[in-house]
Amino acid sequence: MIKNIPYFMLYDKKYIALWDNDQPGINSKKEATKNFGMLEERKFKLLPPIKQDGDRRMEEMYSTGDIQKIAEYLKLPDYSDYETVVAKLYDASPLQKKKVKTLISKETIENFNKLSKLIEKSFVRNYGEFE
């Protein structure tokens, strides 16, 4: 993420930088703030925490079993990991993506709704609108 920020700035692109809410992610966010300053820091976000303990990685945005349900639907091997499933889902058709939304749990949907609100709020704060 840190390597991409200068390009967003150079080409005047709207962006929000998002890191896992764990120690490596927190450290990366601090490093980005140090490198790019407080004005850019307003665009740096951590994933919403799971509970009060704070930690959350992107893989944990999905409830237990949801990644496997998606893997099964996409006809991936049983041992498929998060990265494989998300990469395959990225290339899936709009119809497949719509079907996947019916397979995932309410908890996963709520997690991504929180994340979407965080991103939207940050875009509005930084750019006056959400595109």
Side-chain angles (χ1 to χ4, degrees):
M1 181 60 65
I2 290 175
K3 292 177 186 177
N4 294 323
I5 293 170
Y7 297 107
F8 297 138
M9 294 170 67
L10 175 67
Y11 294 109
D12 199 29
K13 296 293 182 183
K14 296 176 181 178
Y15 77 97
I16 301 299
L18 183 65
W19 285 278
D20 287 341
N21 197 342
D22 59 4
Q23 202 54 56
I26 291 166
N27 291 343
S28 292
K29 182 178 179 276
K30 286 179 184 176
E31 181 182 344
T33 299
K34 179 180 164 192
N35 291 341
F36 302 109
M38 294 306 293
L39 190 59
E40 289 301 304
E41 193 270 339
R42 293 170 39 132
K43 301 171 189 170
F44 304 161
K45 301 296 175 198
L46 297 171
L47 288 173
I50 294 175
K51 294 188 176 123
Q52 298 300 352
D53 66 0
D55 280 4
R56 171 166 279 170
R57 296 177 54 214
M58 186 57 82
E59 300 92 303
E60 297 166 336
M61 294 289 289
Y62 292 88
S63 294
T64 305
D66 282 351
I67 289 293
Q68 283 312 114
K69 288 178 195 174
I70 298 168
E72 287 173 20
Y73 172 73
L74 296 174
K75 297 181 178 31
L76 293 170
D78 291 339
Y79 55 83
S80 297
D81 62 6
Y82 163 82
E83 287 83 8
T84 302
V85 173
V86 170
K88 182 73 172 175
L89 187 56
Y90 179 80
D91 287 331
S93 72
L95 185 61
Q96 288 175 309
K97 289 176 184 176
K98 187 175 181 177
K99 174 65 177 174
V100 164
K101 288 179 185 177
T102 68
L103 299 175
I104 58 177
S105 67
K106 288 181 182 179
E107 183 180 347
T108 295
I109 292 168
E110 288 173 14
N111 290 341
F112 280 97
N113 283 341
K114 285 180 191 173
L115 178 58
S116 180
K117 287 176 185 171
L118 179 137
I119 292 169
E120 184 175 343
K121 187 176 181 180
S122 188
F123 258 87
V124 169
R125 179 178 177 206
N126 286 288
Y127 303 110
E129 62 186 349
F130 181 63
E131 293 181 11

